[in-house]
Amino acid sequence: MARNPFRSESEMFRFLGVVIVAAVLIAIGAWINVWVGVVVAVLAVAGIVWWLLQEPVPGTAEPAPKLASQTPAGTHRVLVVAPPGTTSVQVGDAATEVVVIVPALASKLEAATGAVDDRRAEAEQTALSLTRSLSRDGRSVRGEVGADNPVLAVEDALRTFGADEVLVAGDEAWVDDIRARVAVPVRHA
Amino acid sequence: MVAHAEAHLDHHEEHPPEPHYSSRISPSILGMYLFIGSEIMLFGSFFTAYFFVRVVNGVAWPTPPFHLPVYMAFINTLILVTSSFTMHWALTSVKKGNVFGLRAGLLLTFLMGLTFLITQVTEYLRIGFNTGDGAFPTIFFCLTGLHGCHVFVGLTILLFMTIRAFRGHFSPDHHHGVEIGGIYWHFVDVMWILVFLTVYII
């Protein structure tokens, strides 16, 4: 993942500095011979692209901070993430608020072309069915369709729902991926 | 207690559907990417024309008997590059709560940008050729003129930023207007360096 030089003024100023250095090298090359300048320009562009790709993206190297729960006493919030087609998930009796996220899993081609309507419809059906099956007295249950990547779907959901734990139904590989990116306990359903 | 199950999916009462965001790319970053993409396509089309004229068609650059005012353009480049430094000074100042640095930095940036634009217009008037004199002058005016338009937009943004700075609208915690304007100004500077290299140097 490359650093985006347009993310902030400081990043852009830094990028400008690199461009100035490259421009001076190109000018020196062009002063010797036009084609030397062209070669230096090609090398400079390749070098800048390489530099941008090598730059660490701020925040990605650090592990996610572990946060203390802000949930009031007597409330236990559970975020359930389940793949489309899941028919049932076991949530503990302690759960008083549940949000079910079903990622609209799509192939790369479908995602690239935006042809995700069918995938979203499948995810909606699963979310609706799980919402109904988890509903009971004293528990609030809500279902949503998430992004096409389970980790991103969980990150999105946690922005508006302060869960005490994340329950992952489906592929066990999801558990590790989600655990690496979120600050709340994650377990397999 | 009554069971409470919501399904956001199949009823949107009296309000439009909730947007489905993905953190893969945030709306603000996506907006910036689209802007950069459009700028690359815009400048790219002009640079493509430049390379076709110069490399494919082999038109002499500059076509005799015309001459490019390289020295004046170099001075102008120094002015524009310096203005990016004062812009950066303005932003670092406001982050530290230095109001004088913010105001002085923005004012100097605006004045240097204005100097650049006035010098470019003066250069146009004295250059001795016009768009009707062939492919070389056409591309020259298109590329430098397109960049000049960007400088004009940047100066308009800078003018409002400077006025707001003098009216005390920015603080160490609230200076988003300076940040965004600064990104644009540096972008204009980067584009000028590319234009200067291709039109005047190589």
Side-chain angles (χ1 to χ4, degrees), chain A residues 124-161:
Chain A
E124 280 187 18
Q125 282 306 312
T126 303
L128 198 56
S129 135
L130 289 175
T131 302
R132 285 175 180 149
S133 71
L134 291 171
S135 179
R136 65 173 59 175
D137 282 348
R139 178 188 290 169
S140 165
V141 187
R142 181 157 56 88
E144 289 180 4
V145 174
D148 61 353
N149 178 304
V151 180
L152 297 174
V154 168
E155 284 184 334
D156 287 344
L158 287 175
R159 289 195 174 120
T160 54
F161 181 68

Side-chain angles (χ1 to χ4, degrees), chain A residues 6-29:
Chain A
F6 295 87
R7 193 177 294 276
S8 68
E9 190 273 345
S10 301
E11 293 273 346
M12 191 63 199
F13 185 67
R14 199 160 161 237
F15 180 67
L16 172 67
V18 174
V19 170
I20 290 171
V21 171
V24 170
L25 293 175
I26 294 167
I28 292 170

Side-chain angles (χ1 to χ4, degrees), chain A residues 4 6-10 12-13 15-16 19-20 23 26-27 30 34 37-38 41 120 124 127-128 131-132 135-145 147-149 152 155-156 159, chain B residues 1-10 20-24 29 32-33 36 54-55 81 84-85 87-89 91-92 95 178-179 182-184 186-187 189-190 193-194 197 201-202:
Chain A
N4 174 15
F6 295 87
R7 193 177 294 276
S8 68
E9 190 273 345
S10 301
M12 191 63 199
F13 185 67
F15 180 67
L16 172 67
V19 170
I20 290 171
I26 294 167
V34 172
V38 171
R120 293 195 70 84
E124 280 187 18
L128 198 56
T131 302
R132 285 175 180 149
S135 179
R136 65 173 59 175
D137 282 348
R139 178 188 290 169
S140 165
V141 187
R142 181 157 56 88
E144 289 180 4
V145 174
D148 61 353
N149 178 304
L152 297 174
E155 284 184 334
D156 287 344
R159 289 195 174 120
Chain B
M1 302 210 27
V2 179
H4 175 60
E6 295 177 26
H8 277 193
L9 318 161
D10 53 352
H20 290 286
Y21 292 126
S22 163
S23 52
R24 178 162 291 178
I29 298 296
M32 182 56 82
Y33 281 156
I36 294 165
R54 193 170 172 188
V55 179
V81 167
S84 263
F85 281 81
M87 181 73 238
H88 187 63
W89 177 44
L91 195 78
T92 48
K95 284 177 180 173
V178 186
E179 181 94 32
I183 293 173
Y184 183 82
H186 295 323
F187 168 75
D189 209 346
V190 169
I193 290 171
L194 295 181
L197 279 176
I201 300 296
I202 292 184

Side-chain angles (χ1 to χ4, degrees), chain B residues 112-123:
Chain B
M112 280 190 272
L114 193 62
T115 305
F116 174 89
L117 205 55
I118 290 171
T119 307
Q120 194 174 23
V121 171
T122 309
E123 185 186 289

Side-chain angles (χ1 to χ4, degrees), chain B residues 121-198:
Chain B
V121 171
T122 309
E123 185 186 289
Y124 281 175
L125 295 173
R126 297 169 52 185
I127 204 161
F129 54 80
N130 212 327
T131 49
D133 293 329
F136 152 71
T138 305
I139 298 299
F140 169 81
F141 279 113
C142 282
L143 267 173
T144 55
L146 177 67
H147 180 267
C149 291
H150 280 75
V151 174
F152 179 76
V153 171
L155 280 176
T156 309
I157 296 169
L158 267 170
L159 179 64
F160 283 97
M161 280 161 59
T162 309
I163 291 170
R164 290 189 65 197
F166 275 89
R167 298 181 86 175
H169 287 193
F170 300 121
S171 68
D173 296 326
H174 298 95
H175 52 266
H176 202 56
V178 186
E179 181 94 32
I180 298 298
I183 293 173
Y184 183 82
W185 193 251
H186 295 323
F187 168 75
V188 168
D189 209 346
V190 169
M191 290 316 299
W192 173 251
I193 290 171
L194 295 181
V195 171
F196 177 68
L197 279 176
T198 48

